[in-house]
Amino acid sequence: MHDLSEQARSLRTGLPCQGSGKKPLPAGRAGMAYAVCGDRIRVTVRGELDLDSGEGLREDLDAVLAGSTSGVDLDLGGLDFCDCAGLNVLLDLRRCALEQGKTVVIRASTPVVDRLLTLLGAQGLFAPPSPHREVAMRLPSPCTGSRVLAPTGT
């Protein structure tokens, strides 16, 4: 596994995680936090994922992916808005993951994200690997090394 702490030094910090009791992000902003969970990294994204904020998150998501051994689990339950440009960021992350022999799985989302994925027929792209492709499903390891990243966008 790559040294995530070394790669993450360049990532912005200061954004509270979803559900931490802090006030919501300003309109047009998105933020993310991550936690190392065994050989995967859980990423929580909240706010509005669109062209501006998505471009700001792209580099951070790529760094988190590079620091994982087998991939990224996304918690999109804090997204208030996601458009096609935001979905493009997620699709690009998935493409990079596949090129590295990893996966990107959406573990939680909102009706906004679910509707977008359904309309585009993309919900299966972020599903967990089927048991046929994975010999044995392991229980997730306890998460360690949480990191909070600052909001992006305008």
Side-chain angles (χ1 to χ4, degrees):
M1 183 167 113
H2 297 91
D3 182 7
L4 183 60
S5 59
E6 182 178 319
Q7 288 185 341
R9 285 187 194 131
S10 66
L11 302 179
R12 298 172 295 277
T13 62
L15 174 70
C17 291
Q18 168 76 12
S20 66
K22 301 290 182 178
K23 58 185 172 178
L25 291 171
R29 310 262 333 237
M32 63 179 265
Y34 70 85
V36 178
C37 300
D39 63 347
R40 299 186 64 77
I41 297 178
R42 184 184 61 218
V43 176
T44 302
V45 182
R46 68 182 195 104
E48 297 183 4
L49 187 55
D50 57 16
L51 181 63
D52 292 331
S53 64
E55 288 305 314
L57 289 179
R58 187 181 304 268
E59 187 176 315
D60 294 343
L61 288 168
D62 288 343
V64 168
L65 176 65
S68 74
T69 302
S70 66
V72 173
D73 292 325
L74 295 172
D75 177 347
L76 305 178
L79 281 180
D80 302 317
F81 176 81
C82 183
D83 64 8
C84 289
L87 179 61
N88 242 355
V89 171
L90 301 178
L91 289 169
D92 285 346
L93 179 66
R94 180 182 179 272
R95 180 188 47 77
C96 289
L98 292 174
E99 288 172 358
Q100 298 173 30
K102 302 175 185 180
T103 59
V104 175
V105 176
I106 295 177
R107 298 291 180 180
S109 68
T110 61
V112 170
V113 175
D114 291 339
R115 179 164 169 73
L116 182 60
L117 292 171
T118 300
L119 286 172
L120 298 173
Q123 63 272 52
L125 298 176
F126 296 97
S130 69
H132 303 294
R133 287 184 13 207
E134 204 168 290
V135 177
M137 298 292 286
R138 296 185 307 246
L139 293 175
S141 304
C143 296
T144 59
S146 293
R147 174 96 179 203
V148 177
L149 305 174
T152 63
T154 56

